[in-house]
Amino acid sequence: MDSITATTIHELSVPLRAWPTSKPGQDSLPFLIAHINEQKRSFRNVSEQSLEEEVQALEAGESQADNDEPLLKRLKEEPTDSKTRKEEMLAARLEILQQVSQALTESSYGLDFVSLVLSKHTPRQAEITISPFLKQHVPMGSIGAEVTQLPQESDQKRDDDSLTAVGWKMQSLNAAADSLLRSATRLEKEMGEEAKHWEKVLAIQQKGWSITRLPRERHTLGVRYGFAEAAPEFRDRGLGALRRSEDGSVYLDLGIQANHAHKLRIRIQERGQAIGSFTESGLGETTKDSVESSILQARNAIFDEELYHELYREARHLTNRGVRSTNDAILVPFEEDKQIIFDLVTPDTIVSEERKQNVPLEGHLNHDRLSKALALASKILLSHSHRQNYNRRTQPQQPLTERKPPRVIYSILRPLLALLQQQSALESLKNFLEEIAAVMKNAALGFSFQRPDKVLDIPSMLASNKATNSPLVESLANTISAPLQAQFTINFPSTSSIITYVRTHAQGTEYKVSITAAPNSPLSQTQQDSIFTSAEGVKEHILHLLTIDLVSIVTVENKRWEITSPHEGQLSTEPALNGVHQVLSLVITRRMLQIKCSGPNAGGEIFETVHEWTADTMGSRGFVAEIKNLAPMEAR
């Protein structure tokens, strides 16, 4: 019996592993569905018949599986290494001891707590089960427990609580309804403001402005009011943001450029005194508060700044023409004692100058129209330069080189200088011929001239544009940029006439005089075509030709006189006539015609007779009548 007991005890195996427990969630429906999908892939392939066939196949193969199961179990449970098996057992034993110790500690805590609670009512029984540590540090009866009964609520209290709950629910529902109504009102207002905003943006686009996204604010729309062919520093600045105000309207946001708007001012000074000025101010019929007005003002400001910048660049290459550039102005010489000043000013500067001088700068000065014409012409020429940039950009590109092509200097001041010189030359020549015509009229001599009406013939230009279907601005710019030419047809008292061509180009003004005379006229022996580079030279030449023409009239009207020096206006009598040699001199200036007859008489005395006509006074007789009655002085 003892041997059997020893053998039984010796062969008894004690399991050291914990009892297997199922993982939480394995019996749940989602886990089973996922498990079935993993095994069968899909419920579509599972049917009752297929499941029965699978169960029968498993039952048929169960006997063989049962015979092989102990062997497989033993193979699986047989340790591969005795040392590993021992380590596993020690680790399992240590884990069991830790769990037993933890359970003992938690049960001791529970026993102490219950004993401490009971110590208030049965202290003797509690002292037996309480631990010595707790007995030493916590006084007995410090924790107690009593059985209490919850207070009973009355029906009135329950009804009040129910009504209170209903009231809170109604208040919450009313607040939600009010919030929805406010949201609907705000959404309707927002829809109206948004529709107004996009309507304004669409109106701006329909007027021809380019709408695009801002490079650094992709969610913001902007309008491009600059010029695509402008210089890079001005082309990149020609973009403004279109932002929405609180009422849904659109306003133009220019950033820091809004406080630096400038306008081009052109002034004409004479001896330091302003005699003419022009600064563009109005925008036509556009409303001042509209966004279109802001866009136009921004466009005009950046255009004026670019225009002044290009004028300044060109002025540095025109110092040989007398053009000077300072830090804040461009000075262009005009006529003898006048100059034209180009500068940039702000609207506040213009208003402050008007208040300082106490008189308006525009509208009461003589050269305002000329200042305005110069401003318009300079802007037309800048637009023409933009068009030339576009034509160059659209042409086939040149082969690539290492050197960057130089930036083109626009031709704006040169045509303006040529236009001013041409106008000044024509005006000077016209005044000169008018004074001569007044003198000839008082001397009863036929003298007339035909002058060009205007430097630029706009009506004929319009007619040619209609025929060629070309823009007027382009034709006007090409005409201003090309050399300007005009002619004066001058009819002398005789049958002779001359044509004076006035041509102004980049190098200055050139005069050409062509003569049309009869073969027997002294003018036919003069050089037919003469070219001059100064106004004084051509005026002296006209007086010289008029002197020769008058000399020929003297010989025709009075045969007693013979031409001695036609270029100097000298005539004389025949020496054999009464033995007396007398001289007749013709002197003509722009304001006077004079006949001087001098020489010795028969007695040897020197005599002198003078007849004179001026632009303001008329002689007793005309020039031809005086010549006919003028006879050589006979000896007395």
Side-chain angles (χ1 to χ4, degrees):
M1 185 66 179
D2 297 335
S3 61
I4 294 174
T5 304
T7 303
T8 303
I9 294 172
H10 180 71
E11 293 180 355
L12 182 63
S13 60
V14 179
L16 298 178
R17 295 182 180 178
W19 187 262
T21 58
S22 60
K23 294 182 179 180
Q26 288 185 352
D27 296 336
S28 62
L29 184 60
F31 180 79
L32 294 177
I33 292 175
H35 191 61
I36 293 172
N37 285 332
E38 184 179 358
Q39 286 184 346
K40 303 298 181 181
R41 300 301 178 188
S42 176
F43 282 94
R44 184 180 300 175
N45 301 326
V46 178
S47 63
E48 184 178 359
Q49 183 179 358
S50 63
L51 291 176
E52 290 178 355
E53 292 176 355
E54 185 176 356
V55 170
Q56 293 174 2
L58 291 174
E59 290 177 353
E62 186 178 359
S63 60
Q64 183 177 0
D66 292 341
N67 296 331
D68 297 339
E69 184 176 357
L71 179 61
L72 294 173
K73 188 175 182 180
R74 287 196 300 272
L75 290 175
K76 291 180 180 179
E77 293 179 355
E78 183 178 358
T80 57
D81 189 359
S82 59
K83 184 177 180 181
T84 305
R85 179 66 176 172
K86 185 178 180 179
E87 292 178 355
E88 291 178 356
M89 292 178 63
L90 292 175
R93 180 177 176 276
L94 180 61
E95 183 179 358
I96 291 174
L97 292 176
Q98 290 178 353
Q99 293 180 359
V100 171
S101 177
Q102 184 177 0
L104 181 60
T105 303
E106 292 179 356
S107 62
S108 300
Y109 289 160
L111 180 61
D112 288 344
F113 178 75
V114 174
S115 300
L116 187 61
V117 171
L118 295 177
S119 64
K120 185 175 181 181
H121 303 283
T122 56
R124 289 187 176 276
Q125 295 179 1
E127 287 180 358
I128 299 173
T129 57
I130 198 169
S131 62
F133 179 82
L134 188 63
K135 185 186 298 183
Q136 182 181 359
H137 291 84
V138 179
M140 302 296 290
S142 59
I143 299 178
E146 294 181 358
V147 178
T148 60
Q149 185 178 2
L150 295 175
Q152 297 294 327
E153 293 183 357
S154 62
D155 295 340
Q156 182 67 27
K157 183 68 168 60
R158 284 195 296 269
D159 294 342
D160 293 343
D161 292 343
S162 177
L163 291 175
T164 302
V166 171
W168 278 109
K169 289 182 180 179
M170 292 182 63
Q171 185 177 357
S172 300
L173 290 175
N174 291 333
D178 294 340
S179 177
L180 290 175
L181 289 176
R182 287 193 301 270
S183 300
T185 304
R186 183 179 59 83
L187 182 59
E188 183 179 2
K189 180 181 178 182
E190 188 72 17
M191 289 174 58
E193 293 176 355
E194 195 72 15
K196 182 179 179 181
H197 170 75
W198 288 108
E199 182 180 355
K200 291 289 186 180
V201 173
L202 184 60
I204 294 172
Q205 186 180 20
Q206 290 176 350
K207 289 186 178 181
W209 298 102
S210 176
I211 305 297
T212 182
R213 292 180 182 269
L214 296 182
R216 297 185 180 180
E217 298 182 34
R218 302 300 298 174
H219 62 282
T220 305
L221 290 178
V223 57
R224 188 172 296 279
Y225 56 85
F227 300 86
E229 304 303 329
E233 57 267 27
F234 297 98
R235 182 183 62 243
D236 299 338
R237 288 171 49 195
L239 184 63
L242 292 176
R243 304 193 185 276
R244 200 189 80 175
S245 58
E246 295 181 357
D247 59 348
S249 60
V250 181
Y251 69 93
L252 182 65
D253 184 10
L254 299 177
I256 61 174
Q257 301 181 28
N259 299 326
H260 298 83
H262 292 86
K263 294 182 179 181
L264 181 66
R265 180 178 61 179
I266 299 178
R267 292 175 295 167
I268 301 178
Q269 287 187 353
E270 182 178 8
R271 299 184 183 91
Q273 182 67 29
I275 60 174
S277 176
F278 175 78
T279 306
E280 186 176 3
S281 58
L283 291 176
E285 299 178 355
T286 308
T287 306
K288 292 185 178 180
D289 296 334
S290 64
V291 66
E292 292 85 3
S293 174
S294 301
I295 296 174
L296 289 174
Q297 289 178 359
R299 183 201 63 180
N300 295 344
I302 197 171
F303 189 80
D304 284 355
E305 291 178 10
E306 182 189 5
L307 176 58
Y308 181 77
H309 176 72
E310 297 299 336
L311 289 173
Y312 200 91
R313 291 180 63 235
E314 187 181 6
R316 290 182 295 179
H317 295 77
L318 296 176
T319 54
N320 58 340
R321 303 282 295 273
V323 180
R324 295 184 296 115
S325 56
T326 61
N327 293 332
D328 54 357
I330 302 171
L331 308 179
V332 179
F334 176 55
E335 294 181 354
E336 296 180 357
D337 52 358
K338 299 177 184 178
Q339 64 178 358
I340 302 173
I341 302 176
F342 295 83
D343 59 351
L344 281 179
V345 293
T346 60
D348 297 337
T349 304
I350 299 175
V351 174
S352 62
E353 287 186 359
E354 290 180 354
R355 292 177 179 176
K356 183 178 179 181
Q357 296 181 6
N358 200 21
V359 292
L361 292 178
E362 297 179 9
H364 297 83
L365 302 175
N366 298 327
H367 292 72
D368 287 345
R369 294 181 61 185
L370 177 59
S371 302
K372 183 177 180 180
L374 291 174
L376 296 178
S378 60
K379 293 181 179 182
I380 290 174
L381 290 172
L382 180 58
S383 300
H384 181 62
S385 301
H386 287 172
R387 180 61 62 88
Q388 290 180 338
N389 289 343
Y390 173 78
N391 295 335
R392 284 192 293 267
R393 186 168 56 85
T394 54
Q395 290 178 357
Q397 297 294 327
Q398 298 294 331
L400 296 178
T401 58
E402 296 181 357
R403 297 183 59 185
K404 186 178 180 180
R407 183 176 167 185
V408 179
I409 297 177
Y410 297 156
S411 181
I412 301 176
L413 276 179
R414 293 181 183 89
L416 293 181
L417 286 174
L419 186 64
L420 291 174
Q421 290 179 0
Q422 179 78 354
Q423 180 69 26
S424 178
L426 296 181
E427 189 69 21
S428 176
L429 190 56
K430 178 182 74 70
N431 295 335
F432 170 75
L433 294 177
E434 286 178 350
E435 291 179 353
I436 294 179
V439 174
M440 295 293 106
K441 181 180 179 181
N442 290 335
L445 291 172
F447 180 90
S448 63
F449 67 94
Q450 296 178 357
R451 60 180 180 87
D453 295 334
K454 297 180 181 178
V455 178
L456 300 177
D457 193 359
I458 303 297
S460 62
M461 195 179 301
L462 286 173
S464 62
N465 287 335
K466 291 181 180 179
T468 59
N469 197 18
S470 60
L472 175 61
V473 176
E474 291 296 320
S475 301
L476 184 60
N478 292 328
T479 303
I480 297 175
S481 301
L484 303 174
Q485 183 170 332
Q487 67 179 28
F488 286 83
T489 302
I490 305 172
N491 299 315
F492 283 171
S494 65
T495 57
S496 302
S497 64
I498 62 174
I499 300 177
T500 303
Y501 300 94
V502 183
R503 187 173 184 269
T504 304
H505 45 76
Q507 287 72 29
T509 304
E510 183 180 271
Y511 304 87
K512 180 181 178 182
V513 180
S514 298
I515 302 174
T516 303
N520 56 351
S521 174
L523 289 176
S524 62
Q525 302 176 3
T526 310
Q527 183 179 357
Q528 298 301 306
D529 295 331
S530 303
I531 298 177
F532 303 89
T533 58
S534 64
E536 297 300 325
V538 72
K539 292 175 183 178
E540 292 179 0
H541 186 65
I542 292 175
L543 291 176
H544 173 68
L545 296 178
L546 183 57
T547 301
I548 297 176
D549 187 74
L550 293 178
V551 167
S552 64
I553 293 177
V554 172
T555 57
V556 171
E557 298 297 335
N558 195 332
K559 302 298 184 179
R560 299 178 181 179
W561 297 98
E562 294 181 355
I563 299 175
T564 306
S565 177
H567 299 283
E568 297 179 0
Q570 297 288 336
L571 296 94
S572 63
T573 59
E574 297 180 0
L577 184 60
N578 298 328
V580 179
H581 184 84
Q582 298 176 352
V583 177
L584 180 65
S585 300
L586 296 179
V587 179
I588 182 171
T589 63
R590 60 187 302 170
R591 296 187 59 84
M592 182 195 68
L593 173 60
Q594 185 182 82
I595 302 176
K596 183 186 294 185
C597 182
S598 62
N601 56 15
E605 297 179 355
I606 302 299
F607 70 94
E608 184 178 79
T609 304
V610 178
H611 301 278
E612 184 177 284
W613 298 267
T614 64
D616 301 326
T617 59
M618 183 182 300
S620 58
R621 286 178 294 190
F623 178 82
V624 176
E626 292 290 348
I627 291 298
K628 289 181 177 180
N629 294 326
L630 186 63
M633 183 69 65
E634 296 182 356
R636 295 180 181 177

